[in-house]
Amino acid sequence: MGRLFGTDGVRGLANRDITAELALDLSVAAVRVLSEEGELSGHRPIAVVGRDPRASGEFLAAATIAGLASAGVDVFDAGVLPTPAIAYLTAAIGADLGAMLSASHNPMPDNGIKFFSHGGHKLPDATENAIEARLRGDWERPTGDQVGRVKPYPEGAEKYVAHLLGAIPSRLDGLHVVLDTAHGAASEIGAKAFERAGAKVTLIGADPDGLNINDGFGSTHLEHLQETVPQVGADLGLAFDGDADRCLAVDANGVEVDGDQIMAMLALDLHERHALAGDTLVATVMSNEGLMQAMSAAGINVMRTDVGDRYVLEEMRRGGYSLGGEQSGHVILLEHGTTGDGVLTGLMLAARVASTGRSLADLATCMTRLPQCLVNVRGVDKHAVDDHPVVQAAVADAKRELGGLGRVLLRKSGTEPVVRVMVEAASAERAQQIAEQLAEVVARELAMATA
């Protein structure tokens, strides 16, 4: 059996992989481990629990709350809120633990459980491993007045909105914004935050019924947003995913603005306000080379990490940096939160538009995306890719052929027998040609290695 925890908590098919029993047992195990590590000593522990609107979250949140309370933890049930709201509230009220029930951008039948430690930070691998090791083990159950109490926490939403409004550098008066909330966790809170910041808001994908989360709307389905923004004459559109930790945008003409472009605009804004720590942006190896070129021209350094917001956050904390993220729109503003926050990212981007008086399309010209081609080579020995002489020689040849006007990246999938071949070049045709040539070499050579 593989490791239960993935890169972002425990996730799978609800009521099959992610059951009420598992949610309860994980919650108990988390309390036991944190107690053993001394995190809960000397006081009566408190936890904050939230969920996205998917139907399975109702029983999974109930099971999580039951597990925490049975282990002696007082629980604040915050209801439906974005993941970054639960991380923020965990820190803001001094809770010892946070728990979020969500499968993010995954389809409705999936769900997941992620925990936050004191301060709103994701648990380190070692703590997750310890929790998994304690699952369903014997333990001494509290009784009487030592069991936890459960309290609804509706004021959590207002506290989070106030936090968002306090983070933005300027109001959004005069701006018309279309929000696509993916029928997800930001369906109410997103509009509330933008309207209180002064924007006129048009909502789409904001009628959650427990079954329609991420279904044709949100950051993985921009087509409705791209149609609506020019149709209603809005200045820009913003799309979140189911738990609202990601944000992508479209300009007034309905043209997509991706996570790299958003990071570039926010980095320049912070840089101009002398608020970009270390004059450094943290991005992953999948970010477009155009981002690197734009940041270099502005005197901003870029640190690159492996793919995954966890690695971005680790580098940000290590170096004391304030901005980082991924091409997918998962952007971390560390001064204001410990995880990606789609609503905060959207507010910051809209504030940049409002304060400069420039359109989003104009601001997005701060970087030029190089055409990018990604080819997945399946059924190969992915672990041989880094050291295979023929494959590495082909990579070197491709780099010479690009002559500094592009980039080549071969990356092993973390979950499948797949090697991802990514090529950036001056033209889409050139990127595709070189990517397909490299993919043929990878398929031939690594297939031979497994024969």
Side-chain angles (χ1 to χ4, degrees), residues 87-435:
Y88 165 73
L89 291 170
T90 301
I93 69 171
D96 303 279
L97 185 65
M100 179 69 187
L101 288 300
S102 176
S104 190
H105 57 281
N106 284 27
M108 183 279 295
D110 289 348
N111 215 324
I113 307 169
K114 68 181 80 175
F115 294 109
F116 297 101
S117 64
H118 184 75
H121 295 285
K122 292 182 180 179
L123 301 182
D125 287 348
T127 301
E128 289 180 342
N129 290 338
I131 291 171
E132 190 168 341
R134 297 295 191 284
L135 272 180
R136 304 180 185 92
D138 293 332
W139 61 295
E140 188 174 344
R141 298 169 182 268
T143 59
D145 64 359
Q146 297 304 301
V147 300
R149 306 297 298 272
V150 181
K151 174 185 175 182
Y153 189 53
E155 58 265 42
E158 285 297 322
K159 195 173 185 71
Y160 175 59
V161 170
H163 158 68
L164 294 173
L165 296 177
I168 58 175
S170 61
R171 288 183 55 81
L172 311 182
D173 299 290
L175 214 58
H176 183 183
V177 181
V178 179
L179 298 181
D180 179 351
T181 60
H183 299 304
S187 291
E188 290 187 18
I189 215 163
K192 188 176 294 186
F194 275 82
E195 286 171 351
R196 289 190 186 175
K200 174 184 177 182
V201 176
T202 297
L203 278 173
I204 64 172
D207 298 301
D209 61 9
L211 306 177
N212 59 0
I213 189 169
N214 299 319
D215 186 9
F217 286 86
S219 61
T220 54
H221 303 279
L222 292 179
E223 53 271 18
H224 292 295
L225 187 62
Q226 290 175 306
E227 292 173 4
T228 304
V229 170
Q231 189 176 77
V232 300
D235 296 291
L236 71 153
L238 300 165
F240 312 129
D241 61 341
D243 69 336
D245 65 355
R246 298 185 187 191
C247 174
L248 293 179
V250 304
D251 66 23
N253 297 312
V255 177
E256 179 182 351
V257 177
D258 71 10
D260 284 342
Q261 293 169 293
I262 291 171
M263 285 192 291
M265 286 182 275
L266 295 185
L268 290 172
D269 178 49
L270 291 170
H271 181 65
E272 290 169 9
R273 294 190 282 118
H274 306 288
L276 184 65
D279 281 329
T280 297
L281 169 69
V282 181
T284 76
V285 293
M286 291 303 289
S287 276
N288 195 279
E289 189 65 18
L291 176 62
M292 313 302 126
Q293 295 171 359
M295 295 298 93
S296 176
I300 297 171
N301 183 45
V302 180
M303 300 292 294
R304 275 186 147 154
T305 73
D306 288 337
V307 175
D309 66 286
R310 165 172 293 196
Y311 304 113
V312 172
L313 181 57
E314 284 176 1
E315 180 61 28
M316 292 177 70
R317 294 179 69 183
R318 184 198 65 77
Y321 305 126
S322 53
L323 178 65
E326 299 183 277
Q327 197 177 54
S328 62
H330 197 132
V331 177
I332 303 170
L333 291 136
L334 199 53
E335 181 183 352
H336 305 293
T338 58
T339 186
D341 190 328
V343 180
L344 177 60
T345 299
L347 285 165
M348 289 291 198
L349 186 62
R352 176 71 171 169
V353 173
S355 65
T356 61
R358 297 168 61 189
S359 70
L360 181 59
D362 184 31
L363 289 168
T365 61
C366 68
M367 72 162 276
T368 301
R369 285 183 291 185
L370 269 66
Q372 189 179 86
C373 180
L374 179 67
V375 179
N376 292 323
V377 186
R378 301 185 179 278
V380 295
D381 180 7
K382 65 182 181 182
H383 301 293
V385 67
D386 292 334
D387 300 315
H388 197 287
V390 177
V391 172
Q392 292 307 314
V395 170
D397 288 343
K399 289 179 178 179
R400 279 193 294 272
E401 195 172 340
L402 288 168
L405 298 176
R407 188 165 64 106
V408 176
L409 176 67
L410 267 61
R411 176 176 163 263
K412 300 184 287 286
S413 167
T415 57
E416 305 172 89
V418 171
V419 171
R420 308 194 195 284
V421 179
M422 190 275 286
V423 175
E424 291 170 348
S427 71
E429 295 78 12
R430 195 77 179 122
Q432 183 173 352
Q433 178 190 19
I434 294 175

Side-chain angles (χ1 to χ4, degrees), residues 15 18-26 59-60 63-64 113:
N15 217 28
I18 309 299
T19 63
E21 295 87 346
L22 178 62
L24 190 149
D25 291 339
L26 277 170
F59 73 80
L60 289 172
T64 299
I113 307 169

